[in-house]
Amino acid sequence: MARRSTSSSTGRPTGNPSGPRNRTPQPVRVRRRTFGDFVKAFVAFVALLALVVGVPGALAMTVGWPLPHSAPTMDWLSQPIGVDTFLNTLTVIVWLAWAQFTACVLVEVKAAVSGVGLPGRVPGAGPSQLLARQLVAALLLVGATAASLTPGLSQLGHSMEGNQKGTVAAAQATPGLLAQQQEQAKSTAAALAEQAGHAAAQAQAEHGSTTAAHGATKYYRIQPPEGRHHDSLWEIAQRHLGDGRRYKEIYELNKDRVQPDGSRLSEASLIRPGWIMEMPGDAHGGELVENPDAHVSPDVQQQIGDYARTGDHAQQHQQQQQGGQHAGEDGATAQISVPSQRQAGDAGTPAQAHDASGHASSGSASGSASGSFFGSAFGLSEALLGAPLLAAGLLAALGRRRRQALWQSALGAVGGRRGMEPPTPTGDAQDVQDALLVGADPEGVRLLDRSLRGLAAALTAESRSLPVVYAAWLSHGDLHLQLAQPAGKPPAPWQLGQDQTFWTLSRADAERYEDTDAAAPYPGLVSLGTMDDSRLLLNLEAVPGIVSLSGREADRAAVFASVAAELATNGWSDRMTITLVGFGADLTPLAPNRLRHLDDAEALFEAMEAETRQRRGALGAAGHDSVLTGRTGPAQHTRWAPNLVLLAAQPSAEDAVRLAELAADAARLGIGYLVGTESADLPGASWAMEITPDGKLLAPLLGLELDAQLLPAVQQRAVVELFVEADPERDPDGPTNAPPFLVDISEQGRPAVYARLVGPYEIMGLDTPDGDRSALLHEALALLLLHREGVHPRVLSSALWPRGVTEDVRDALLDRLRAWLGTDPDGSPRLRSDATGRLVLAKSVVSDLDVLRSLYYEATQGKGVGSRAVRGRLLTDALVLVRGPLLADRAEGRYRWLTHEIIDAQLPLLVADIGLALSAFHLEKDRAEKAIEALGAALKTAATDERLWNELLRATHATGDPDRVRALAADLVTRSGARGLPPRTEALLDELLPTWRDGAAATG
């Protein structure tokens, strides 16, 4: 049997049929040796001879022994320096330089002859080793066995699990040599590929007549791994059928047949060396074996003969020949194995919908309902429902943006907008917000973040460096890190996976992790999609080169937007820069501190060339091999933050070459490149991916076929709109937003159902539900009361059942909720669906929060503006409603959806605004005690609001009692603790009580 050619030897890592693999070098034009090559080799030989042999010979003959023949005395120090002394000193320096160069030559020759890894680095010999390497390479590449003597150069910069440290060291020592070595390696590999191709063609020609005459069946024997790479059905189909997607035909021909080792082929990606694959009739290539075939060993003939008799496949084979190229495409879809903790025997069983953390997704569980709430025109964005980590990041960032707007409004940073209500999204923005609420998995993000930081802390405690991680898989609740190369035994509770390149952490162990101050070790991880209920996160900053993405422009844009949005908002990184080039819609509003938008490729090169130089210098000065070394130990957390470049536009040919040069050393510098291209061939691309119109992300040479994670243009614009609307500095002079629901606060506006949410939860006007369902009904009503604009049914079900719910249970709850709320006197239901299908409460159902907002609005912008008496009464009535924090007595484990809300920030600010307004109302008439009473009531709910304490100091000072001011100042100092008083409070105390620091010092 013909051996595999060098040019197609890429396979999968042991035990990881689905994991990423290195890109197979593309065939290039064969460059034959010329007369000039021989001249270069001769010159290199002469130069090496002169430098290694001639220099010491000349020194010995002309200068002789340069060192003293006896031990020097103290008198030697006072002797004048003559010509002989100078020459001897210079000779010693030349001898040392010769010794260093000779060591470099020996190191380079040893590495070239052994063919293993990259040459070692001789300390302080950068230029000398570069010269030695060039001379040795020029000499050896001319020989007939040059390919075998060149140390793995064809994989330089592309190896998925090769010697990454060697690549880093070589690139650091001689950054200008990488491109030259790669070019030499490509020429060598192409020459070998041509030779293998000629041999294959000759073998096929010799056996072609026999095949045609006898109609012999063709077989392929799975090759043993070459290095760390294994054979795959995709590559076999690519080589012998011309299309990697035809791997399914090979799978169908051979599935469930007994192999020579007694096992069976059950999954397309689980193949082992020595197995035999029957091939479709149109298979071609010199690696195939026909039955019978005298050119293979008797043992192999026997194995193939026995395999040919297993099962009844002759008829299927005939159908393959008659049915055309893709006859097997209608068969069972092969499952690609990913790291998981599957139970034996579950292969082929339809899996339940799981989110990134492995638990059932509420969006999937409730999203397929066909009831009245789920018409074809009333669906949420499936792209966001199926992206739990992206949705969680966007939702958390949006919440932070809205809280920031509230705080700036409260502190007067935005003119005239105190008590500002966030705008209620509508249209696509509302649908996207609902999709984020349904699809988000903040618990999964929290576990991922804690697990990675816990790993970093454990490695630091053991004085170990972080391993290079190319990808992470979230599978059935477990986390699997795929390493570039074996890194020993992981620290507990991590365990080795199916082989030495996988570190695995179960969900149960991840939940035991606590928060740690370790730096985020792998901030460049970003979700690409799912496969077999497992989510893949690619570590963009660790890829040794460029990741290219081909496909239609709109499809590529959806992938780029998803990657950019998740990187900008994810919860498992500290600080990073995402450089965007060629994006139609500017995503910077999502994270202005992380996202950087550049206009074109020229601006990119200007920025990244400077940053690449700066990072190389910083790593060298710090003595680190890569940024990973700087993320463990005593390093600053903000150092070595990644810069991930997303170039969505197709680069020109010249730009592609410049980009490849930039990316050659990017992995160790913490720089990653994802580049869009119209074709699959991009110079310098280590990993090539393709996005198809049906949402599949293909990376055949990595063994990946994912359901891609996308952010289509419509959802992208809606997400940006949500963030723009929440910008605290947007339209600072605009009108104050009114509350989403204003109630009639007159006596005639008495509601039929009144719920008290501010403080302990109470409901008046309804009977208490019987049984254990009462708590669930109360929680559902609270969610509806906090969203008077309407609640999507899927948002309601995912809030009440975050781990998923079936349709019958959800529908039963809605029926009970309608029956419990009842109808108004006119017969209209108090829980109805609006035109968009969202659940909306009738105006007769009111909460104290609605009343509180309405009273403050009327006092400051309504009836109270023109009447002091009305304003005082409205503010007093509002403060009376405040009985404590929101839902003060809620049961533990319930109301977790409140973490997605900003009401926890809104309510204290609203109460503080009411207290401040009422205090000012009383101080206008010199009623200091009434002002103090109002401020004290507000502080029960907004105890950390600095504005209330400062106003309390002013009101207390207005009483004219310095002892009370002094006591209040001491209380504030005690409350502040080690943090100290805020600057504004200190300045106010200096004005009101200049001696307060003496009392504070005495107390301390």
Side-chain angles (χ1 to χ4, degrees), residues 201 401 664 765 780 924:
R401 179 68 57 84
E924 288 176 1

Side-chain angles (χ1 to χ4, degrees), residues 260-304:
D261 60 0
S263 55
R264 299 173 185 268
L265 175 65
S266 59
E267 296 188 15
S269 59
L270 293 182
I271 58 176
R272 301 176 184 173
W275 281 11
I276 297 169
M277 296 288 113
E278 182 179 338
M279 300 292 288
D282 61 338
H284 54 81
E287 295 173 325
L288 300 180
V289 177
E290 299 166 1
N291 188 29
D293 192 331
H295 291 78
V296 296
S297 66
D299 292 340
V300 174
Q301 290 186 45
Q302 181 66 36
Q303 291 178 359
I304 293 177

Side-chain angles (χ1 to χ4, degrees), residues 840-922:
V840 180
L841 290 172
K843 292 184 178 180
S844 58
V845 182
V846 174
S847 73
D848 56 354
L849 185 59
D850 298 326
V851 178
L852 189 67
R853 287 168 167 165
S854 300
L855 288 170
Y856 178 67
Y857 180 79
E858 288 292 337
T860 57
Q861 301 179 58
K863 300 175 183 178
V865 174
S867 173
R868 171 182 166 80
V870 172
R871 182 169 73 254
R873 177 173 55 82
L874 293 174
L875 291 173
T876 302
D877 290 345
L879 203 55
V880 169
L881 293 176
V882 179
R883 302 174 299 126
L886 186 75
L887 299 169
D889 58 350
R890 59 179 179 264
E892 185 178 357
R894 289 199 174 274
Y895 300 89
R896 292 184 177 178
W897 45 269
L898 281 172
T899 58
H900 301 314
E901 307 282 345
I902 63 168
I903 185 61
D904 60 334
Q906 282 180 295
L907 180 59
L909 290 176
L910 176 60
V911 173
D913 282 348
I914 294 172
L916 291 169
L918 188 55
S919 172
F921 173 81
H922 288 305

Side-chain angles (χ1 to χ4, degrees), residues 362 437 779 783 794-802 895-897:
S362 58
L437 290 168
E779 186 174 356
L783 178 60
R794 296 178 73 171
V795 173
L796 179 66
S797 61
S798 65
L800 300 179
W801 295 283
Y895 300 89
R896 292 184 177 178
W897 45 269

Side-chain angles (χ1 to χ4, degrees), residues 725-876:
E725 289 292 330
D727 188 351
E729 299 182 359
R730 179 177 180 267
D731 192 17
D733 298 324
T736 301
N737 294 326
F741 179 63
L742 288 172
V743 300
D744 184 357
I745 57 176
S746 66
E747 194 64 30
Q748 291 74 25
R750 186 178 298 274
V753 178
Y754 183 67
R756 305 177 73 181
L757 305 178
V758 184
Y761 191 4
E762 299 176 10
I763 298 178
M764 291 169 279
L766 293 177
D767 295 332
T768 302
D770 296 330
D772 297 332
R773 300 187 181 95
S774 175
L776 200 61
L777 290 172
H778 278 71
E779 186 174 356
L781 179 57
L783 178 60
L784 292 168
L785 285 168
L786 292 177
H787 290 277
R788 302 306 303 236
E789 73 277 8
V791 177
H792 196 294
R794 296 178 73 171
V795 173
L796 179 66
S797 61
S798 65
L800 300 179
W801 295 283
R803 296 179 64 86
V805 64
T806 57
E807 297 178 18
D808 56 339
V809 173
R810 181 203 61 233
D811 294 341
L813 172 77
L814 293 178
D815 290 341
R816 280 191 292 270
L817 187 58
R818 291 192 188 92
W820 181 44
L821 292 174
T823 60
D824 285 330
D826 61 357
S828 59
R830 291 171 180 159
L831 177 62
R832 59 182 179 84
S833 299
D834 64 8
T836 66
R838 287 174 170 81
L839 300 170
V840 180
L841 290 172
K843 292 184 178 180
S844 58
V845 182
V846 174
S847 73
D848 56 354
L849 185 59
D850 298 326
V851 178
L852 189 67
R853 287 168 167 165
S854 300
L855 288 170
Y856 178 67
Y857 180 79
E858 288 292 337
T860 57
Q861 301 179 58
K863 300 175 183 178
V865 174
S867 173
R868 171 182 166 80
V870 172
R871 182 169 73 254
R873 177 173 55 82
L874 293 174
L875 291 173
T876 302

Side-chain angles (χ1 to χ4, degrees), residues 2-182:
R3 292 184 58 81
R4 300 178 65 195
S5 65
T6 304
S7 62
S8 60
S9 63
T10 304
R12 293 181 178 156
T14 306
N16 177 29
S18 62
R21 296 168 298 151
N22 68 315
R23 185 183 182 211
T24 302
Q26 297 297 319
V28 297
R29 181 174 59 87
V30 178
R31 181 180 179 276
R32 301 183 180 278
R33 292 187 293 276
T34 64
F35 177 75
D37 294 331
F38 287 96
V39 171
K40 291 179 181 177
F42 178 75
V43 172
F45 173 76
V46 172
L48 284 173
L49 190 64
L51 292 173
V52 176
V53 179
V55 169
L59 289 174
M61 293 177 62
T62 59
V63 181
W65 182 253
L67 298 178
H69 295 280
S70 61
T73 63
M74 295 299 295
D75 295 336
W76 177 77
L77 297 176
S78 60
Q79 294 177 358
I81 299 176
V83 176
D84 293 338
T85 304
F86 177 77
L87 290 177
N88 288 336
T89 303
L90 183 61
T91 303
V92 170
I93 296 175
V94 175
W95 271 107
L96 293 175
W98 170 84
Q100 184 188 59
F101 178 78
T102 304
C104 294
V105 172
L106 295 176
V107 167
E108 295 295 329
V109 171
K110 179 180 181 298
V113 173
S114 65
V116 178
L118 287 165
R121 183 181 178 186
V122 178
S128 297
Q129 191 162 6
L130 172 59
L131 176 62
R133 184 173 305 168
Q134 291 173 334
L135 294 175
V136 171
L139 179 63
L140 294 181
L141 284 175
V142 162
T145 58
S148 63
L149 296 178
T150 305
L153 295 178
S154 62
Q155 299 301 322
L156 196 62
H158 298 283
S159 177
M160 178 66 190
E161 285 124 1
N163 191 339
Q164 180 71 10
K165 292 183 179 179
T167 304
V168 169
Q172 185 177 9
T174 56
L177 186 61
L178 187 60
Q180 177 185 351
Q181 290 179 325
Q182 288 178 328

